[in-house]
Amino acid sequence: MTDTSSAERAKSFARSRRGPILGAIFLMATSAIGPGFITQTATFTAQLGAAFAFAILASILIDFALQMNVWRMITVAGKRAGDLANEAVPFSGHVLATLIVIGGLAFNIGNIAGAGLGLNALLGLDPKLGGLLSALLAIGIFMYKRAGRVVDMVVLALGLLMIGLTLFVAIASQPPVGDALRQTFVPDTLNFATITTIVGGTVGGYITYAGAHRYLDSGLVGPDHVPAVHRASMSGILVTGIMRYVLFLAILGVVASGVTLDFSSQAANPAGQAFGAVLGDAGIRIFGAIFWAAAITSVIGAAYTSATFISTFSKKLGTGWPLQVATVAFILVSLVLYLLIGAAPAAILVFVGGFNGLILPIGMTIFMYVGWFRQRDVLHGYRYPLWLLALGTLATLLSWYMGIVSIGPIFAFIGIGA
């Protein structure tokens, strides 16, 4: 009887943790494949053609090196990134939290802009009205008392929908797969600003920590649960990697056919134009639904993760209703700023990716310091794999280099500097 009861409790515990784990995987994936990444992919594929495949590969490799370290350190330590950083280097967590919240705010303005573009393509609504309605929907989700479970269900369902329909369009667009595969490894052109922007749009800023922070809610923390977090982080990286490349192929097929995309007008939606070129009016509307799904899940991810960093300044905001209120307030501030900004939505979406790419190396430097020098105390004596630390360090150094050489071009996306 006791053995049976223990087995049932174990199964019940596993089921109760399945939702947060899947939520963590898809929160990472849908945050990484948001409207910023989709718009950046359309923009840069139109500019570089098949050579952009190299930037996709670079983003996947950097993603692997950074996310594997972030997920493992956060869950082994059992602390969110800001608290972990503060324990390792006093006040560094506050600096990191400030940068993440600023970057998350910039990203969430872009996410709300993306939601507006999605509803514009789907229903013909004015982009700003669409952004307003989408932000209000996200607020409604977080006002619900069991918001965590709702978030997990929403990001899982919409993530699967995005993957399925993008794969369909990629097949329909008939891209030059051979040329894309060749230039994945040997590109005809190389542009560090492009790589930094795409890495920032799919790895940088709050995205680096979204899945790991949600994974903490599963309760599977500490050194004993390293195999579980390893599987979860690998699953998230695999999902986002496949989605990145499939989206690139879908747009490459359109660009290679000679279609010219519009990037200049206020309501320009270059990725939507690409899907419309494949499927006509129905394609524009279907893509509008996908783009909106990418945007609303990214609004959720950016707001939730940024709010968990706000809790670095006050533990009272760390869990439960206070965390939900902080998340709602973050969305409201993002919405107001979006409604006041006059820049073209597509320009916002490209710029914020680059901006978060500049924040990325700062946080990763702190994490690499923890991995190399603070295993005994911060990581509870866990013996960290040297190969993973080496990969993370190389990726961090690369992100520093790319950020430094790309500052000017990134700010030029919105007309600042040259």
Side-chain angles (χ1 to χ4, degrees):
M1 179 71 70
T2 302
D3 291 342
T4 302
S5 298
S6 297
E8 290 177 352
R9 284 197 298 271
K11 290 181 180 179
S12 177
F13 178 81
R15 284 194 297 268
S16 68
R17 297 300 183 267
R18 192 175 301 154
I21 291 173
L22 285 174
I25 292 170
F26 277 86
L27 188 66
M28 169 187 166
T30 54
S31 294
I33 311 297
F37 178 80
I38 294 173
T39 303
Q40 291 157 17
T41 299
T43 301
F44 295 132
T45 302
Q47 293 175 0
L48 302 175
F52 184 60
F54 180 80
I56 298 291
L57 175 63
S59 75
I60 293 172
L61 294 177
I62 293 172
D63 194 15
F64 174 83
L66 300 183
Q67 290 282 7
M68 292 293 286
N69 279 288
V70 167
W71 279 59
R72 186 172 299 218
M73 287 189 200
I74 285 177
T75 53
V76 166
K79 296 181 176 69
R80 289 172 177 161
D83 297 327
L84 186 155
N86 272 340
E87 184 176 350
V89 181
F91 302 109
S92 66
H94 291 88
V95 174
L96 179 61
T98 300
L99 292 172
I100 293 296
V101 171
I102 293 173
L105 193 62
F107 227 124
N108 224 29
I109 294 169
N111 290 334
I112 294 174
L117 288 174
L119 289 183
N120 175 260
L122 177 63
L123 302 174
L125 291 180
D126 178 87
K128 289 205 170 182
L129 175 60
L132 171 64
L133 295 176
S134 300
L136 293 178
L137 174 61
I139 289 171
I141 290 174
F142 282 105
M143 290 295 289
Y144 185 63
K145 63 179 181 180
R146 303 188 71 176
R149 177 172 292 185
V150 176
V151 166
D152 293 337
M153 293 171 59
V154 168
V155 297
L156 175 59
L158 294 182
L160 291 173
L161 182 66
M162 285 189 286
I163 292 171
L165 286 181
T166 306
L167 180 60
F168 168 73
V169 176
I171 294 172
S173 71
Q174 299 180 333
V177 177
D179 190 31
L181 289 175
R182 178 183 66 81
Q183 297 206 55
T184 299
F185 304 99
V186 187
D188 291 342
T189 59
L190 187 62
N191 187 311
F192 277 113
T194 296
I195 296 175
T196 302
T197 299
I198 207 68
V199 167
T202 191
V203 184
Y206 79 92
I207 297 171
T208 311
Y209 311 98
H213 279 195
R214 182 63 183 135
Y215 189 86
L216 284 180
D217 297 334
S218 72
L220 302 177
V221 298
D224 293 340
H225 294 290
V226 165
V229 73
H230 178 82
R231 290 191 298 270
S233 56
M234 280 296 293
S235 298
I237 293 166
L238 180 63
V239 170
T240 53
I242 291 173
M243 184 65 175
R244 287 173 192 151
Y245 208 79
V246 169
L247 177 66
F248 158 68
L249 289 176
I251 297 175
L252 178 63
V254 175
V255 172
S257 70
V259 173
T260 301
L261 304 180
D262 169 33
F263 299 97
S264 58
S265 66
Q266 179 71 17
N269 188 345
Q273 297 165 42
F275 277 64
V278 177
L279 300 173
D281 184 65
I284 293 176
R285 297 189 184 281
I286 291 172
F287 180 74
I290 302 308
F291 202 69
W292 177 83
I296 195 69
T297 52
S298 293
V299 168
I300 291 169
Y304 165 78
T305 310
S306 297
T308 61
F309 272 95
I310 293 173
S311 69
T312 303
F313 300 96
S314 174
K315 302 306 176 195
K316 295 180 180 179
L317 300 176
T319 59
W321 184 245
L323 178 61
Q324 290 175 239
V325 171
T327 307
V328 167
F330 189 86
I331 298 173
L332 280 173
V333 172
S334 304
L335 174 61
V336 171
L337 291 175
Y338 163 66
L339 294 175
L340 294 176
I341 285 177
I348 297 174
L349 291 172
V350 174
F351 166 74
V352 294
F355 182 77
N356 278 276
L358 300 177
I359 294 174
L360 177 65
I362 298 174
M364 288 312 306
T365 299
I366 298 172
F367 271 76
M368 290 302 98
Y369 166 74
V370 170
W372 283 111
F373 302 109
R374 303 298 297 273
Q375 294 181 27
R376 181 171 297 180
D377 53 350
V378 177
L379 298 182
H380 309 303
Y382 172 69
R383 182 173 293 182
Y384 211 88
L386 288 178
W387 68 269
L388 193 54
L389 279 176
L391 281 179
T393 301
L394 286 174
T396 300
L397 292 173
L398 180 61
S399 67
W400 271 113
Y401 174 74
M402 291 191 302
I404 291 170
V405 302
S406 304
I407 290 176
I410 286 170
F411 279 88
F413 283 133
I414 55 170
I416 298 177

